[in-house]
């Protein structure tokens, strides 16, 4: 398991970007998104966290949803990334990379002065 699970603030900060990243591989329903997140270290994500986030992403026009009606299964809401969502994912990835660089720089500078 990833070390970040001990830091709920990091999980909350990274979760929107992680959901957009999952959807960048294609449309998916909530349960499948949660499973992909769990496979990549977001072990504690529950529906009470994920579904409100999916609703916010939809409201922000970063995702859109459609209902599927399979004959043998109940209707499911499928989410997909919008062009705005793709742009936001790139912006968020750049910001996260910049934050990582800044933290590494602070740590390295602090070690050099010790």
């Amino acid at each position: 398991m990833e070390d970040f699970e001990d830091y709920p603030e990091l999980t909350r900060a990274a979760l929107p970007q992680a959901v957009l990243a999952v959807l960048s591989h294609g449309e998916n329903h909530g349960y499948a998104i949660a499973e992909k997140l769990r496979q990549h270290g977001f072990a504690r994500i529950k529906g009470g966290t994920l579904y409100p986030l999916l609703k916010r992403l939809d409201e922000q026009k970063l995702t859109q949803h459609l209902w599927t009606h399979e004959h043998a299964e109940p209707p499911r809401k499928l989410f997909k990334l919008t062009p705005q969502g793709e742009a936001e994912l790139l912006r968020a990835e750049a910001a996260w990379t910049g934050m990582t660089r800044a933290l590494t720089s602070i740590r390295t500078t602090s070690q050099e002065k010790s």
Side-chain angles (χ1 to χ4, degrees):
M1 200 51 45
E2 300 292 334
D3 292 341
F4 65 82
E5 279 295 315
D6 291 333
Y7 298 92
E9 308 84 22
L10 287 177
T11 300
R12 275 192 302 277
L15 191 56
Q17 180 180 347
V19 169
L20 294 176
V22 168
L23 292 174
S24 73
H25 297 286
E27 61 187 32
N28 238 319
H29 57 87
Y31 182 79
I33 294 168
E35 284 301 306
K36 287 284 186 194
L37 292 169
R38 284 186 195 100
Q39 291 171 9
H40 292 281
F42 288 84
R44 295 186 185 148
I45 301 305
K46 304 286 187 241
T49 300
L50 180 61
Y51 290 102
L53 172 60
L54 287 167
K55 183 177 186 208
R56 281 193 307 277
L57 294 173
D58 242 23
E59 289 169 352
Q60 295 168 350
K61 309 257 188 272
L62 302 178
T63 64
Q64 64 183 39
H65 71 273
L66 59 107
W67 285 96
T68 61
H69 300 281
E70 302 291 326
H71 296 292
E73 296 180 13
R76 289 201 273 187
K77 197 185 252 190
L78 279 177
F79 295 88
K80 73 180 222 178
L81 207 55
T82 64
Q84 297 94 323
E86 291 174 19
E88 175 59 20
L89 178 57
L90 292 173
R91 190 192 71 73
E93 286 173 345
W96 200 266
T97 299
M99 179 65 72
T100 301
R101 269 193 229 115
L103 292 171
T104 300
S105 175
I106 292 168
R107 189 168 160 257
T108 303
T109 302
S110 297
Q111 288 176 349
E112 289 171 359
K113 291 184 177 184
S114 296

